Amino acid sequence: MIYLRKLLYADVKRITSLLNNRNISMQLHDSVPYPYLESDAVNFLNLLDFDRAQKVFGVEYEGDLVGLVGLILQRGDYRLSAEIGYWLGEEYWGKGIMTDAVGEVVRLGFDKLNLLRIYSSVKGNNIASQRVMEKVGFCLEGVLRSAIIKNGHIQDEYRYAILNEHFEL
């Protein structure tokens, strides 16, 4: 069973330890550096203190912080939408943890934040994240061919979304 909670500065060492992993880094945006330093984690937590558009939670499993999940609220014409993002420590992959965490954050987005749409961009080679999206009820809206470059490798971007009216988790 998972538990979502507020991130704390006491989590800096754990976040750094989990994110300092090449396999995780390969699936994240370039805005998340690799190697990942404690100063990067502090900067991220500082950003969350000031950026009200980001609703990010620590994911606890069996009492340990194992990853993060969150929503980036959109603005202007897209203000009823949010982008979901997440990562999970590699040793916890394949246990259904992130499927549960994504489901909880989607529920929060629809029930508490009154969003109409939540979407995600998944790298073409990230089959596990594609499965998470599908298990939670997201639909593949399209594939943006050769849209991403990560470490010199060009990949497709899979765009998933779920509408409030279709969420049944």
Side-chain angles (χ1 to χ4, degrees), residues 13-52:
K13 287 188 185 307
R14 180 66 173 162
I15 292 169
T16 303
S17 172
L18 291 168
L19 262 185
N20 212 2
N21 178 308
R22 186 94 170 135
N23 292 327
I24 296 171
S25 175
M26 289 297 296
Q27 300 306 328
L28 300 177
H29 294 294
D30 286 343
S31 61
V32 181
Y34 179 83
Y36 197 82
L37 307 174
E38 286 186 19
S39 59
D40 297 318
V42 169
N43 291 338
F44 176 68
L45 293 175
N46 287 339
L47 172 70
L48 293 180
D49 284 343
F50 294 101
D51 186 353
R52 299 294 174 221

Side-chain angles (χ1 to χ4, degrees), residues 5-9 11 15 44-45 48 56-58 65 68:
R5 65 166 176 83
K6 180 181 170 129
L7 290 169
L8 308 169
Y9 284 93
D11 295 323
I15 292 169
F44 176 68
L45 293 175
L48 293 180
V56 180
F57 303 92
L65 180 69
L68 273 61

Side-chain angles (χ1 to χ4, degrees), residues 99-100 102-111 116 118 135-138 162-169:
T99 300
D100 291 345
V102 166
E104 286 301 312
V105 167
V106 168
R107 183 186 326 278
L108 177 137
F110 290 149
D111 292 350
L116 295 181
I118 298 173
K135 286 178 187 176
V136 175
F138 283 69
I162 189 167
L163 301 179
N164 189 329
E165 64 196 64
H166 297 142
F167 182 63
E168 297 180 7
L169 197 71

Side-chain angles (χ1 to χ4, degrees), residues 41 56 61 68 76 89 119 155:
V56 180
Y61 175 73
L68 273 61
Y119 68 93
Q155 299 182 53

Side-chain angles (χ1 to χ4, degrees), residues 35-96:
Y36 197 82
L37 307 174
E38 286 186 19
S39 59
D40 297 318
V42 169
N43 291 338
F44 176 68
L45 293 175
N46 287 339
L47 172 70
L48 293 180
D49 284 343
F50 294 101
D51 186 353
R52 299 294 174 221
Q54 293 196 50
K55 308 295 183 192
V56 180
F57 303 92
V59 179
E60 278 195 10
Y61 175 73
E62 296 181 349
D64 292 322
L65 180 69
V66 297
L68 273 61
V69 62
L71 297 170
I72 301 173
L73 305 177
Q74 303 300 293
R75 294 184 170 101
D77 294 348
Y78 297 98
R79 66 186 170 273
L80 297 178
S81 296
E83 180 176 10
I84 193 167
Y86 52 87
W87 60 263
L88 183 67
E90 186 172 12
E91 64 192 272
Y92 302 98
W93 292 359
K95 299 178 184 290

